[in-house]
Amino acid sequence: MPAVRSAGILLYRRRAAVEVWIAHMGGPFWARKDEGAWSIPKGIVEATDVSGELAAAMREFEEEIGSPPPATEYAALGDFPLSSGKKVAVFAAEADGFDPETVTSNAFELEWPPRSGRIQSFPEIDDARWMPLELAHAKLTKGQRPILDALLAHLAR
């Protein structure tokens, strides 16, 4: 069985320090967690994504953030293995003017509390914002932290 592929977009901007746009994962498991509970906007590449991984990443960004990604040029940062067994293809873009007033994510349904028989709806993302790289490094899930190193290498070129 092939590994599940995901694709995501990492937006960055240059201020006093480089900042990245990351999102806090929604749902009850992540509700009271902060460090290690953030992610780049990403999602599964479906078999029907004939336009490729970048198109899938752009679709997932819009679904999770509520607005389309603002850039027109993207750099492939590479594929990154996650502890879940997925691999995520990441595309980076500079987006200095991107600052949406609200974040409106799609939702997922989950039986909560467990074994209660009650199905509830939760947003995939409950917050998203710009963060300096150093802070983002602490906030991202452990498996996604190497993405920031790849961004730095890309910016150094």
Side-chain angles (χ1 to χ4, degrees), residues 4-8 42-47 49 53 56-57 59-60 63-64 86-88 124:
V4 175
R5 299 271 307 159
S6 288
K42 63 174 180 43
I44 294 176
V45 177
E46 304 290 346
D49 286 325
E53 292 176 334
R59 179 196 69 235
E60 291 293 332
E63 287 178 2
E64 292 187 351
K86 293 180 187 175
K87 285 192 177 179
V88 59
E124 277 194 48

Side-chain angles (χ1 to χ4, degrees), residues 11 18 24 77 80 130 145 157:
L11 298 180
V18 174
H24 186 267
L77 293 183
F80 299 86
W130 290 106
R145 293 174 186 166
R157 284 183 232 137

Side-chain angles (χ1 to χ4, degrees), residues 39-153:
S39 174
I40 67 166
K42 63 174 180 43
I44 294 176
V45 177
E46 304 290 346
T48 56
D49 286 325
V50 294
S51 297
E53 292 176 334
L54 177 56
M58 294 175 81
R59 179 196 69 235
E60 291 293 332
F61 186 98
E62 186 165 0
E63 287 178 2
E64 292 187 351
I65 302 302
S67 58
T72 56
E73 292 185 35
Y74 294 86
L77 293 183
D79 290 348
F80 299 86
L82 304 179
S83 60
S84 66
K86 293 180 187 175
K87 285 192 177 179
V88 59
V90 179
F91 302 90
E94 190 162 8
D96 191 48
F98 181 74
D99 212 1
E101 289 183 25
T102 60
V103 172
T104 308
S105 178
N106 56 341
F108 67 96
E109 292 187 338
L110 176 70
E111 181 182 6
W112 193 259
R115 295 176 298 285
S116 67
R118 198 168 105 194
I119 303 297
Q120 294 189 52
S121 182
F122 298 96
E124 277 194 48
I125 298 299
D126 59 24
D127 188 12
R129 64 179 87 144
W130 290 106
M131 288 190 193
L133 279 176
E134 188 174 308
L135 180 58
H137 191 271
K139 301 286 187 185
L140 280 174
T141 62
K142 190 175 184 180
Q144 292 185 38
R145 293 174 186 166
I147 297 168
L148 300 180
D149 297 331
L151 176 65
L152 285 174

